[in-house]
Amino acid sequence: MRHGTRIAAGAALLLTLTTAPAATADTGTTTHVDGQLPSGATYMMDVPANWNGTVLLFSHGYNAGPANPAQDAPDAATKPLLLQQGYALIGSSYASTGWAVTDAVPDQLATLKAFTTRFGQASRTLAWGRSYGGLVTTAIAERHPDEIDGSLSMCGLVHGGVANWNNTLDPVFALKTLLGSDVPLVDLPTQEAATTAANTLTAKVDSAQSTPEGRARIALAAALHNIPVWNAPTQTRPAATDWDAQQANQYDAVKGLLKIAAFNRRQEAEVRAGGNMSWNTGVDYARLLAESSVRKEVTELYKKAGLSLTKDLAALNRAPRITANPAAVAWTSSTSSFTGKLTKPQLTIHTIGDPLVPVQTESALKRAVTAAGSGPLLRQAYVDNAGHCTFSPAEQLAALHALEDRLTTGTWRGTDPASLNTRATAADPTTPTRYVRYHPTPYLRPYDLAHPADRR
C-alpha cells in the first residue's frame, strides 16, 4: 500500500483508541504507559504525579530499523529533568521506519488523542522533535496547528524533503564527476545496490585523500553541502586558516554522508516516493560554491594543489545531469515540503557544526516563513558545538522554556544568546550552555511551497 494513503486516514485514526490494551506502571511519582495504535505503531507516555498541565509531543529522528521503539524524550539525560519539572511526555514509534512522514504525522496525532482520552485535556500542548523529527514537528505545526499551541524543532530538516534530497545529491555528484566513477546516484533498485555504490565511492574518496588534488576536490564536494570544518565533538576545532585541518575534518564527514544518507537512505526514500525525487538540471556549481560557507577553504586548497578550480567547476557544469521523476517530486513535495505558513509560534535551534543537517537549513526555513508572512511567529537560535543534535540538556530546556514564555506573554523575549544561556544554567547548571549569536549563510538548494515559481 502506498504510504501516502495514511494521510487520508489520519482523521479516522484520531477518533480511534488503541488496538491493544495499554500497559501501565506507576512508580509513585510517574505513571508510565505503553500502548499500540491501529497503524501498528507503539507509543509511550510518562506522566509525573505533579503534572504541570503541559504535554510534550516528541517526534524522534530518522530510524533505519529494523528495531522501531517509541520515544517520548530527546535523550536519557534530559528526560528525568523534564519529569521533575512536571511535564507529561508522549511519543510514538511511527508505523514504519525510514522516511516515514506519512506515518509519523498521523501516528503522533493519534498518540496525542490517546493521551487526552486517558489523562484529560492538557492546558498546553507543545510539539517538538530532533533531526528528522524536526521535519515531523514542522509538518504538524503547519498542517495541524489546532492540535498544538507551539512547536520546537531541534537540528531539524526544516528545509523540507525535496531540498534535502537535492542538496544531498550535489556533493556525491561532484565526487563522482571529479574523482572518476560510474556509480549510480539515483534510481537505486535495492539496499544492496545502494550499499555497493556507497562503498565504491567511499573507496574513491579514501584514495583521493592521499593527494593534494584529491583533498581539494573532496573539500569542493563538502562545500556543496555546506559541511562545516568542525563537525564532530571529538575533532579539534581548526584555526581559521588551517586549511589542511579543516579539510581533514570534512573528509570524515563526507564519508559519513556517503555511508548514511547519500545512498541507503535515499534508496528507501525513493521507494516511498515512487522514483527519484531530486535533480541538478540547470544548477550552476560555480554559483553554489560562491554562496558556500566554506568557499575560502576550497579556493586555498586548490591553490596549494596547483589545480584549476575554474576547470573543475566547468567540468561539473558540463557533466551529464540528473533529472527527477515528476511524480516522485510531487509526492515528496506534498508530504514533506513546507509552505512557511505558521499560525502558532515556532522556535528552532541548531548546532553550528552540524555535518548531516547543516545549519543553513535554518536559512531555508526562514526564507519560506518570511515569504508566507509568518516571520513574527518564528525565532531561531544557535549553539556553538560540533556534531548533529549535540545539545546539552540545559540547552534543550532553555529553548523549551523560551517557547513557553512566548505562549504565556504573547511576545518573544529572552531568545538572545545571553538570555538563553541564563535560562539554560537555571534549568540545569550541570551541563554546558553555548548559545551564540550566529547568522547562517543561505541554503544552497532551497525548495518550498511559498515560492511556487522558484524550483531551485
Side-chain angles (χ1 to χ4, degrees), residues 275-364:
N276 168 39
M277 73 296 285
S278 54
W279 68 90
N280 63 356
T281 50
V283 172
D284 181 350
Y285 283 104
R287 182 188 65 78
L288 289 195
L289 178 62
E291 295 180 354
S292 174
S293 59
V294 290
R295 62 187 180 279
K296 178 64 173 175
E297 173 217 359
V298 175
T299 59
E300 293 297 327
L301 287 172
Y302 265 80
K303 288 178 185 176
K304 184 175 182 179
L307 197 61
S308 171
L309 179 56
T310 300
K311 288 184 179 179
D312 271 3
L313 290 170
L316 288 180
N317 283 340
R318 287 195 309 268
R321 296 308 177 96
I322 292 170
T323 58
N325 177 319
V329 174
W331 183 88
T332 308
S333 178
S334 65
T335 59
S336 56
S337 292
F338 299 123
T339 66
K341 295 177 182 177
L342 295 173
T343 58
K344 304 288 178 64
Q346 182 174 57
L347 176 63
T348 68
I349 63 174
H350 220 114
T351 50
I352 67 173
D354 190 334
L356 185 61
V357 184
V359 66
Q360 286 76 20
T361 59
E362 301 293 341
S363 296

Side-chain angles (χ1 to χ4, degrees), residues 94-119:
Y94 318 153
S96 61
T97 58
W99 192 267
V101 65
T102 52
D103 291 326
V105 172
D107 285 339
Q108 287 291 80
L109 295 178
T111 297
L112 179 58
K113 178 67 174 179
F115 171 84
T116 302
T117 299
R118 188 180 187 102
F119 293 99

Side-chain angles (χ1 to χ4, degrees), residues 170-231:
D170 292 327
V172 292
F173 179 79
L175 292 171
K176 173 180 178 175
T177 302
L178 299 178
L179 301 185
S181 176
D182 60 357
V183 295
L185 303 182
V186 299
D187 294 317
L188 301 157
T190 63
Q191 281 288 294
E192 291 74 19
T195 298
T196 297
N199 291 341
T200 300
L201 197 52
T202 298
K204 287 283 188 179
V205 169
D206 286 336
S207 178
Q209 185 66 13
S210 65
T211 69
E213 297 83 2
R215 290 192 290 272
R217 286 168 170 152
I218 293 169
L220 172 56
L224 298 177
H225 195 63
N226 270 321
I227 291 177
V229 299
W230 180 50
N231 56 70

Side-chain angles (χ1 to χ4, degrees), residues 30 34 39 101 122 127 130-131 263-264 306 323 339 349 401 428 440:
T30 300
D34 291 307
S39 67
V101 65
R130 294 194 352 170
S131 190
F263 291 96
N264 292 87
T323 58
T339 66
I349 63 174
H401 293 164
D428 177 23

